[in-house]
Amino acid sequence: MPTRILVDANVILDVLTPGSPWEAWSGDAIMACSDHARLVIDPIIYAEVSVGYTTMAGIDLPLSDDLFAREPLPWRAAFLAGKAFEQYRRRGGARRSPLPDFYIGAHAAVTGMPLLTRDAARYRTYFPTVELIAPDA
């Protein structure tokens, strides 16, 4: 059993967005994972979730330290995100700068944390060693 699980922003946003088609799955997954592991977010995840809030106090309520541990993005993860992004570009990817998913996937990869996400395709492609907790897993 993992002791820590990195939680992707899309799962958190599902719970925070009333009427989301993934609200029930994401809420159940967060609760199930929190029963046996510490849930973790990093600055990239925090930034993605923060878009819907006007103040830090507003976002800090749903992302409370009681539920989510906050960890910095390791330097090794930043390097790995760059390498994954380089592969993406070679395969014809159109974006000009690394996507948040590359940082999140790299964070999970270098720390050995499973990743709770509902959007597993990119993670499976670029971070095949990361254990994914996803709807189709």
Side-chain angles (χ1 to χ4, degrees):
M1 285 282 194
T3 58
R4 299 176 311 144
I5 296 173
L6 191 62
V7 182
D8 199 354
N10 58 37
V11 173
I12 297 168
L13 288 168
D14 288 341
V15 174
L16 298 178
T17 307
S20 165
W22 289 99
E23 183 178 9
W25 183 89
S26 293
D28 291 346
I30 285 173
M31 295 315 294
C33 288
S34 70
D35 284 344
H36 66 272
R38 184 72 168 123
L39 303 180
V40 176
I41 60 173
D42 64 24
I44 304 295
I45 295 162
Y46 186 94
E48 285 190 302
V49 175
S50 75
V51 170
Y53 294 85
T54 56
T55 66
M56 285 185 72
I59 190 175
D60 285 345
L61 187 62
L63 297 182
S64 75
D65 294 339
D66 292 339
L67 186 56
F68 296 99
R70 296 177 186 193
E71 293 189 6
L73 185 70
W75 287 102
R76 287 179 41 222
F79 181 81
L80 182 56
K83 296 294 126 196
F85 181 73
E86 184 178 35
Q87 287 180 359
Y88 162 82
R89 291 286 294 149
R90 273 193 242 137
R91 293 177 177 173
R95 300 282 178 119
R96 296 271 178 222
S97 62
L99 302 168
D101 290 348
F102 289 111
Y103 292 109
I104 294 166
H107 186 173
V110 303
T111 59
M113 278 190 278
L115 176 61
L116 173 59
T117 184
R118 66 165 168 77
D119 185 21
R122 183 172 287 134
Y123 297 118
R124 282 196 182 109
T125 300
Y126 295 100
F127 304 99
T129 62
V130 172
E131 177 188 343
L132 299 176
I133 303 165
D136 58 345

